[in-house]
């Protein structure tokens, strides 16, 4: 059966659809140098990484316009808290952060591991055995916050790459990093690492400003669920050697 609509009704429906499109605001996606999840390429002109690729595909499937911006971690995180229509990724979803954001994910999973160099003998039976040592971590990162909170000797660097180089030069005794980042940077720079102690597992998400429409957040999470179901997540993570996070 063919349903005919009047010209005025067709114009009204067209205008409504255009209005809905116009009311979908563009998102700003802030991130940091944290390979292999997110990192600069082409001399800083582009952003790549496993989490970046996932977020691009989410935006493509939902039709939500977005701009990706590489910043320091502190600036990227601050923007997502203060600026409407902004998300920061990939971010560890912790109890302290839970109510500050709306969440899209998971985008990655990893282990927090204390690393040293193969020539060092550091024996660990419990976490307190690490207290005499100088431990490197990433400035303002959740791992640095953990070390501060629990009273460890902390040396903060501006990047994980700096931490790796400090460790190799003997300027720090240990480096607390995610296994994904440590393995990537170890291979990139040809610097061998020795895991000493695994602290915990962590799952990372996009943390979105609370002013973003919850419907928009659900659209992005629905797209990600479909990406898990059709194998897209596994396909996009594989080139970076990032393990598949638990499906939402």
């Amino acid at each position: 059966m063919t349903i005919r609509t009047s010209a005025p009704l067709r114009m009204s429906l067209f205008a409504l659809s255009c209005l809905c499109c116009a009311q979908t605001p563009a998102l700003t996606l802030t991130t940091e140098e944290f390979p292999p999840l997110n990192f600069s390429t082409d001399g800083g002109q582009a952003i790549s990484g496993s989490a970046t690729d996932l977020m691009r595909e989410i935006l493509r499937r939902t039709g939500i316009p977005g701009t990706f911006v590489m910043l320091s971690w502190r600036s990227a995180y601050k923007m997502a808290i203060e600026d409407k229509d902004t998300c920061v990724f990939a971010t560890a979803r912790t109890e302290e952060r839970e109510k500050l954001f709306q969440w899209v994910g998971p985008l990655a999973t990893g282990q927090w591991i204390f690393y040293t160099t193969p020539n060092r003998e550091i024996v660990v039976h419990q976490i307190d055995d690490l207290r005499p040592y100088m431990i490197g971590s990433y400035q303002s990162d959740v791992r640095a916050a953990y070390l501060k909170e629990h009273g460890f000797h902390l040396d903060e660097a501006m990047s994980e790459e700096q931490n790796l180089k400090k460790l190799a030069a003997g300027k720090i005794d240990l480096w607390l990093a995610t296994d994904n980042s440590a393995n990537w940077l170890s291979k990139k720079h040809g610097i061998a690492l020795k895991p000493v102690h695994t602290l915990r597992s962590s799952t990372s998400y996009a943390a979105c400003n609370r002013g973003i429409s919850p419907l928009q957040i659900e659209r992005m999470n629905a797209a990600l669920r479909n990406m898990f179901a059709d194998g897209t997540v596994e396909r996009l993570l594989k080139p970076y050697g990032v393990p598949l996070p638990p499906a939402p």
Side-chain angles (χ1 to χ4, degrees):
M1 179 176 66
T2 301
I3 301 175
R4 299 185 182 275
T5 58
S6 66
L9 178 58
R10 287 196 298 271
M11 291 298 293
S12 297
L13 292 172
F14 176 76
L16 179 60
S17 66
C18 290
L19 179 61
C20 291
C21 293
Q23 289 178 338
T24 302
L27 296 181
T28 299
L29 289 303
T30 64
T31 191
E32 57 173 333
E33 291 284 354
F34 196 79
L37 274 60
N38 358 279
F39 55 93
S40 303
T41 57
D42 298 332
Q45 299 302 306
I47 302 174
S48 188
S50 61
T52 304
D53 290 354
L54 290 177
M55 290 305 299
R56 282 204 177 97
E57 179 63 13
I58 289 170
L59 295 188
R60 187 191 71 79
R61 292 191 182 206
T62 57
I64 298 172
T67 301
F68 290 78
V69 182
M70 180 70 73
L71 298 169
S72 69
W73 168 246
R74 184 174 295 174
S75 296
Y77 186 83
K78 185 172 183 285
M79 274 188 68
I81 289 179
E82 297 179 354
D83 294 0
K84 186 182 178 183
D85 302 324
T86 300
C87 301
V88 58
F89 73 98
T91 310
R93 187 171 180 174
T94 65
E95 184 179 350
E96 296 77 16
R97 294 172 174 172
E98 183 67 29
K99 294 182 179 179
L100 297 176
F101 300 101
Q102 301 180 82
W103 300 89
V104 177
L107 303 177
T109 190
Q111 302 287 323
W112 293 11
I113 298 177
F114 290 91
Y115 292 94
T116 190
T117 51
N119 62 318
R120 293 290 304 270
E121 284 298 328
I122 298 178
V123 179
V124 182
H125 299 292
Q126 57 185 4
I127 187 68
D128 285 344
D129 294 337
L130 300 177
R131 291 195 178 280
Y133 299 102
M134 181 60 69
I135 304 171
S137 192
Y138 182 25
Q139 189 176 64
S140 301
D141 183 70
V142 65
R143 284 165 291 280
Y146 172 89
L147 293 171
K148 284 181 180 178
E149 181 183 347
H150 290 83
F152 289 90
H153 298 299
L154 172 63
D155 183 296
E156 291 185 86
M158 294 299 294
S159 71
E160 292 290 42
E161 209 151 9
Q162 287 182 11
N163 278 318
L164 176 62
K165 292 176 180 179
K166 283 183 178 182
L167 185 66
K171 295 181 179 179
I172 55 176
D173 302 306
L174 294 158
W175 171 31
L176 178 57
T178 66
D179 53 347
N180 293 325
S181 182
N183 292 337
W184 179 276
L185 291 172
S186 174
K187 291 176 183 177
K188 177 182 177 181
H189 294 282
I191 298 174
L193 294 172
K194 180 168 74 173
V196 171
H197 180 72
T198 299
L199 183 60
R200 64 171 64 165
S201 60
S202 176
T203 305
S204 297
Y205 290 68
C208 297
N209 185 274
R210 300 214 38 104
I212 296 174
S213 165
L215 293 175
Q216 200 164 0
I217 299 297
E218 175 51 31
R219 286 174 62 199
M220 290 192 285
N221 276 313
L224 182 61
R225 289 193 294 269
N226 289 334
M227 289 162 58
F228 270 95
D230 66 20
T232 299
V233 172
E234 184 175 12
R235 176 176 59 80
L236 291 178
L237 296 185
K238 189 174 182 180
Y240 300 98
V242 175
L244 191 68

